[in-house]
Amino acid sequence: MLVGTIAAATAEAFVLGVKAGVDVDAMAKVISISTGASWQLSNQFPLRAFNGNFNPGFMTDLLHKDLGLALDLAAENQALVAMTSLARQLYEMARAAGYGHDDYTVLLKVLEQIAGVEARRK
């Protein structure tokens, strides 16, 4: 749940920032020393997404499956997990675009395509 939702929020924030004219490296530096810091931002995004390298560390298909398991558990326990549900829908978009076997950070690419910008390192 946390990997999927944190990565989705990270991708979304960087696409918005770039669309608004902020440099990826500058944004990453500021966020990484603030309360928005995360393991995703410190490790996965610089290693993969910001460089356009979506070779799988953990495939989008597997994260999508895991988010589905979390949703099933939540339904069994009558728990609200709205962010997990939305994150799963976003990863479903990545799968529909043919990125199921790519690293889960490929969600950045999907959101970039929708926004018409590229949130990558220069």
Side-chain angles (χ1 to χ4, degrees):
M1 289 174 66
L2 292 173
V3 168
T5 56
I6 291 168
T10 301
E12 193 173 75
F14 275 83
V15 168
L16 174 60
V18 168
K19 184 102 178 171
V22 182
D23 176 72
V24 168
D25 287 324
M27 198 165 27
K29 184 175 182 180
V30 169
I31 294 170
S32 69
I33 59 169
S34 72
T35 57
S38 70
W39 187 89
Q40 303 291 329
L41 179 57
S42 298
N43 294 280
Q44 287 302 96
F45 276 78
L47 177 67
R48 300 185 189 289
F50 295 153
N51 293 320
N53 172 13
F54 299 106
N55 293 325
F58 192 71
M59 288 190 301
T60 296
D61 282 341
L62 294 175
L63 182 55
H64 182 266
K65 172 198 59 84
D66 288 350
L67 292 171
L69 292 172
L71 290 172
D72 291 345
L73 182 63
E76 290 170 15
N77 290 279
Q78 299 176 340
L80 177 63
V81 289
M83 287 186 278
T84 301
S85 179
L86 181 55
R88 189 165 194 261
Q89 291 174 37
L90 291 170
Y91 288 103
E92 180 60 37
M93 291 171 60
R95 293 175 74 225
Y99 302 133
H101 291 281
D102 292 320
D103 189 75
Y104 67 92
T105 59
V106 78
L107 183 57
L108 179 73
K109 188 175 186 177
V110 173
L111 297 175
E112 288 173 336
Q113 291 167 345
I114 293 167
V117 297
E118 192 170 87
R120 309 291 170 84
R121 287 196 159 132
K122 295 191 186 319

